[in-house]
Amino acid sequence: QVQLVESGGGLVQPGGSLRLSCAASGSIFSINAMGWSRQSPGKERELVARITSGGSTNYADSVKGRFIISRDNAKNTVYLQMNSLKPEDTAVYYCNADVDVSPYKTLGVWGQGTLVTVSS
């Protein structure tokens, strides 16, 4: 069994910054891509950023130049540095990972979500 635990959400003023963390634990053989998605009330969940095991990244157009995704493979942890935050960034942010639990089996795992509120 594999768990993802997010932390770092909260209330921030427009223009401010937050750093989200997501740590994976459990029966992990290796971790492939990791990423962050978000969901606002009344909207579908959308991909924010993703990073491969080799460090290649991709971002939603809405966050390019403001958010940075990174990972620490030794700690099985992925981070999302969010800068120049806007009210429209308000959402529940979910971490996800493609985890190899054996050489023959991969699971898609999601965290429980952490709320980010951007408001003055």
Side-chain angles (χ1 to χ4, degrees), residues 57-75:
T57 59
N58 64 285
Y59 297 90
D61 288 342
S62 58
V63 306
K64 282 181 181 176
R66 299 188 298 122
F67 291 10
I68 300 172
I69 188 170
S70 61
R71 63 190 285 173
D72 184 333
N73 291 330
K75 295 182 179 180

Side-chain angles (χ1 to χ4, degrees), residues 4 11 22 24 32 52 54 63 73 93 108:
L4 299 179
L11 173 65
C22 172
N32 302 311
T52 67
V63 306
N73 291 330
Y93 284 71

Side-chain angles (χ1 to χ4, degrees), residues 6-69:
E6 299 113 332
S7 60
L11 173 65
V12 63
Q13 292 187 341
S17 298
L18 277 178
R19 189 192 195 208
L20 305 182
S21 300
C22 172
S25 62
S27 301
I28 298 170
F29 181 76
S30 63
I31 302 179
N32 302 311
M34 304 182 80
W36 293 91
S37 297
R38 66 186 181 186
Q39 187 166 20
S40 304
K43 295 186 178 180
E44 293 187 354
R45 189 174 299 189
E46 63 171 349
L47 175 68
V48 174
R50 194 158 173 84
I51 184 168
T52 67
S53 57
S56 296
T57 59
N58 64 285
Y59 297 90
D61 288 342
S62 58
V63 306
K64 282 181 181 176
R66 299 188 298 122
F67 291 10
I68 300 172
I69 188 170

Side-chain angles (χ1 to χ4, degrees), residues 42-116:
K43 295 186 178 180
E44 293 187 354
R45 189 174 299 189
E46 63 171 349
L47 175 68
V48 174
R50 194 158 173 84
I51 184 168
T52 67
S53 57
S56 296
T57 59
N58 64 285
Y59 297 90
D61 288 342
S62 58
V63 306
K64 282 181 181 176
R66 299 188 298 122
F67 291 10
I68 300 172
I69 188 170
S70 61
R71 63 190 285 173
D72 184 333
N73 291 330
K75 295 182 179 180
N76 290 334
T77 299
V78 63
Y79 306 95
L80 186 68
Q81 177 66 43
M82 304 185 294
N83 302 317
S84 302
L85 282 160
K86 305 175 181 180
E88 51 263 43
D89 294 318
T90 295
V92 178
Y93 284 71
Y94 297 90
C95 171
N96 70 280
D98 296 331
V99 179
D100 293 332
V101 295
S102 78
Y104 316 106
K105 185 175 182 179
T106 301
L107 297 179
V109 185
W110 288 86
Q112 81 286 353
T114 185
L115 177 62
V116 172

